[in-house]
Amino acid sequence: MASVVSVLSKTPNLLKELTRVLPSVTFHEVQDPEHDTQFKQSAVLVCDFDLVGKYLYDLPNTKWMQGTWAGVDKIMPLFQNKPLPYQITRFTGDHFGRIMGEYVVANIVNHERDLCELRDYQRKKQWHKEGKICDYRVISDLTIGVLGLGNIGSRIGKILNMLGARILALGRRPALPAGDDYSHVSRYHTKETLPSLLKECDYIISVLPSTRETNGLLDNDILKNCSDKKSVLINIGRSNTLSENSLIKAIQNKVQRDNNHTTCIRNESS
């Protein structure tokens, strides 16, 4: 039983892919963690953090838990002043960055070329050339701000820069580290100069985690700095950076791209 890796996750095809890349390992899919004996006896677990949280300190045989998420905000409050019960690692790096980079590029191209409208015309068997169908910006025309310069944010910035975009970045360090890993960044900002970043950007990509420092970072009236360039906000980080009330206020005050407002594409992972 100790050689079996238990998997508690809603991620599509995860068990299939784990079995494919690690054929010598026996995996067990956990359906009911409350009553699953194998789950509680496994030394190694692969888990979604939101599903495993309540069981963290009820797994006496566990030596290592591999999370399926990059963010750990769902389990951090459970530790408080207690030590980690075992080794816990999260999922991040280039692979995650490439996937999320594809999502960002797809949304930018869709918005700049209005592909949804084009698809509607195709369904109606109509031929139109008005608006963005022929008059659109390409990614190399854009200045894009990336909020969050970790592994995922850096990879997204590199992908966009490779397509010609000018990249501004927001990080928590006082200054941008030297080296080729950040050569794609044209200008670096901290929280204190965030308004300046927002004023320059056609698109703002938030890849920020949920921390005390990021709580409400885009709240209140800071989005008014997007009004001149009619910026588009794509949030693929945590939702704590921007409350719904602040977003509604921004829309009502016409800080949005469509009809002179700022468009906000939100993909909150939690």
Side-chain angles (χ1 to χ4, degrees):
M1 303 261 299
S3 62
V4 176
V5 176
S6 289
V7 180
L8 175 61
S9 176
K10 292 183 179 179
T11 304
N13 300 317
L14 176 60
L15 192 64
K16 176 182 176 181
E17 288 300 306
L18 287 172
T19 303
R20 181 182 66 82
V21 299
L22 297 170
S24 61
V25 177
T26 301
F27 293 97
H28 166 69
E29 184 175 15
V30 179
Q31 300 284 355
D32 180 9
E34 193 73 39
H35 303 99
D36 193 313
T37 303
Q38 176 62 69
F39 170 61
K40 296 183 178 181
Q41 292 184 351
S42 292
V44 179
L45 306 174
V46 177
C47 300
D48 295 352
F49 287 142
D50 62 330
L51 299 180
V52 76
K54 63 182 291 186
Y55 306 105
L56 280 176
Y57 287 92
D58 192 28
L59 300 167
N61 296 317
T62 299
K63 305 299 182 185
W64 172 36
M65 178 187 297
Q66 171 62 53
T68 59
W69 294 7
V72 295
D73 48 291
K74 288 294 183 181
I75 59 173
M76 285 300 294
L78 303 174
F79 301 140
Q80 296 179 354
N81 296 322
K82 295 185 289 187
L84 291 179
Y86 33 76
Q87 182 74 28
I88 298 176
T89 52
R90 64 193 183 101
F91 178 40
T92 186
D94 279 354
H95 178 69
F96 224 165
R98 284 194 300 269
I99 293 172
M100 297 177 81
E102 288 179 10
Y103 175 87
V104 169
V105 170
N107 275 281
I108 291 175
V109 172
N110 180 51
H111 189 268
E112 289 298 321
R113 303 194 184 203
D114 208 347
L115 296 181
C116 292
E117 184 179 32
L118 180 61
R119 182 58 177 160
D120 287 340
Y121 287 145
Q122 289 176 334
R123 289 194 181 102
K124 296 173 184 177
K125 299 180 181 179
Q126 296 177 354
W127 180 258
H128 289 273
K129 293 185 177 180
E130 295 82 7
K132 293 182 179 179
I133 293 175
C134 286
D135 184 13
Y136 54 82
R137 297 180 297 183
V138 295
I139 290 179
S140 59
D141 294 327
L142 305 173
T143 295
I144 300 177
V146 179
L147 310 185
L149 206 55
N151 288 334
I152 295 172
S154 291
R155 172 54 62 182
I156 292 171
K158 289 175 182 177
I159 290 171
L160 293 168
N161 181 247
M162 182 183 66
L163 294 172
R166 176 173 174 256
I167 302 299
L168 309 184
L170 175 80
R172 60 183 179 180
R173 301 179 181 92
L176 184 69
D180 292 339
D181 284 347
Y182 302 101
S183 61
H184 61 286
V185 177
S186 294
R187 188 174 301 164
Y188 181 74
H189 290 264
T190 61
K191 182 178 179 180
E192 289 69 29
T193 58
L194 176 58
S196 176
L197 179 151
L198 297 177
K199 287 178 181 179
E200 290 192 62
C201 293
D202 299 295
Y203 283 80
I204 300 142
I205 317 299
S206 178
V207 201
L208 292 168
S210 177
T211 66
R212 288 190 298 271
E213 291 75 19
T214 62
N215 277 335
L217 186 67
L218 299 177
D219 277 348
N220 302 317
D221 293 327
I222 196 167
L223 290 180
K224 68 183 180 182
N225 293 286
C226 302
S227 58
D228 288 345
K229 297 208 71 172
K230 302 184 173 83
S231 310
V232 178
L233 170 63
I234 302 178
N235 183 15
I236 54 174
R238 290 296 190 255
S239 61
N240 68 305
T241 56
L242 176 61
S243 69
E244 290 189 2
N245 287 337
S246 291
L247 178 59
I248 291 170
K249 181 179 179 181
I251 293 172
Q252 291 174 338
N253 289 335
K254 297 186 178 180
V255 186
Q256 265 222 347
R257 180 169 180 80
D258 298 330
N259 300 322
N260 296 323
H261 303 150
T262 295
T263 297
C264 180
I265 303 170
R266 302 188 74 176
N267 178 33
E268 300 166 6
S269 48
S270 68

